[in-house]
Amino acid sequence: MSFKILKNNCCGLDVHKTWIFACIGITDSHSRTEYKQARFSSFSKGLQELCDWLAKYRCTDVCMESSGKYWIPVFNILEKNNLWVTLSHPKYTKPLKGNKTDRKDAKWICDLYMCGMVKPSFIPPASIRHLRDLVRYRFKLTCMITGEKNRAQNCLTVSNLKLDDVFSDVFGKSSRSITEQILAHPGETFDVTPFVHGHCKTPIEEIQAAVDGAISPEQAVKLRQCLDHIDELEKHIETVEQEILRLSDPYESALNLIRTVPGFHKNPMTAIQVLSEIGADMSVFPTAKHLVSWAGCCPRNDQSNKKIKSTRISRAGSYFKPILVQVANALIKSKKHPEFTNRYRRIKARRGHKKAIIAICRMILTAIWHILSDLNPYTPDGFLESRPVNESKTLTTSQALILLKQRGYIIKDEPVTAS
């Protein structure tokens, strides 16, 4: 079986931690391909030797698979040497079993890329990649704070200190002051009145009863370390956020457009999280559907013999989808944006909550793609299109009430006013 050769001079790289195996395929005018193979070190000196070796054969098209984090330094150096690098997911370059070596893997990648059978991955510019790295690190720090707060809450629970029953935020101002007093004087009874903030709505008697517990020395040590770690992580997040804001300054115009979308205007970091994942240039996504598919917010294609096997969404966008889901859950509770609430109720009645939320995420992504492509702020006109009523379709009163209940509406009787 032969395939049409689209690239007459290209290279395939099999990247490992220590070594990089390269294979250049050079095709002449008679469709005869000659291969040049070599092995290079993954150190900076070896990567520069790889660039010189590619320049020797006038090869400017390189393809490699994304193996862990090992591809990043290779990509950075090849990009600095003005080489066109295509990154592909390993599932698209997986070789046949039973005849597999590192050199054959490089040759297989070269053959696939030569025939145009490699699906490239989206790689944003270097400035967006640096911003993305810090934004994801901030997300990790936030997860670490959540874990430490859970451990601190466990210390209070096993010590029978019911602060979570009387305070909405166990780590708020009043609750934290009481916790510090308990750690400073373990086992002593004290009056909580001086430590409770004036705006606290819980009665003092209930708070006093909630702290009627005894914390052991071991739990006190653990709780002290958890609280100190939380304070330290919050300082790290503050420092990282300052650097994130500095890196996002050149994209202020794009951020202002994203903040016009409902749900992105309150917290400035939400728009930066979106920008760090998709970038500001929407030309890399031909349509809004390509962006939705890249983010993993559309059903997968799994069909055989006219039978659809699965419509689950993919695992793509592991850092991106949680932001969209969080914004979507807030929008469906708002009365200011009927374009989202109406669609959510319509889909939820047929498909359930989870599929309806993903549909709202798709609406948000579609809006972001259009405003960044057209450079116009968000407007709900495209979603609130007029739908003429079908006069031939009539419903009885009971049928109309059932339909409204299925759509999520709550029907109440109007109070009878005395004349």
Side-chain angles (χ1 to χ4, degrees), residues 174-192 195 215 224 227:
S174 300
S175 181
R176 185 64 184 270
S177 300
I178 295 175
T179 305
E180 294 291 343
Q181 178 67 17
I182 293 174
L183 293 177
H185 305 280
E188 297 183 6
T189 304
F190 62 96
D191 185 15
V192 299
F195 304 99
I215 186 170
R224 178 77 272 166
L227 295 178

Side-chain angles (χ1 to χ4, degrees), residues 378-412:
Y378 170 82
T379 174
D381 296 339
F383 295 118
L384 295 175
E385 56 183 8
S386 59
R387 296 184 178 181
V389 179
N390 188 1
E391 297 180 356
S392 61
K393 193 175 204 179
T394 58
L395 296 175
T396 62
T397 304
S398 59
Q399 290 175 342
L401 292 176
I402 294 173
L403 180 61
L404 289 175
K405 290 180 181 179
Q406 290 177 349
R407 296 288 174 88
Y409 290 94
I410 300 175
I411 302 174
K412 295 182 180 180

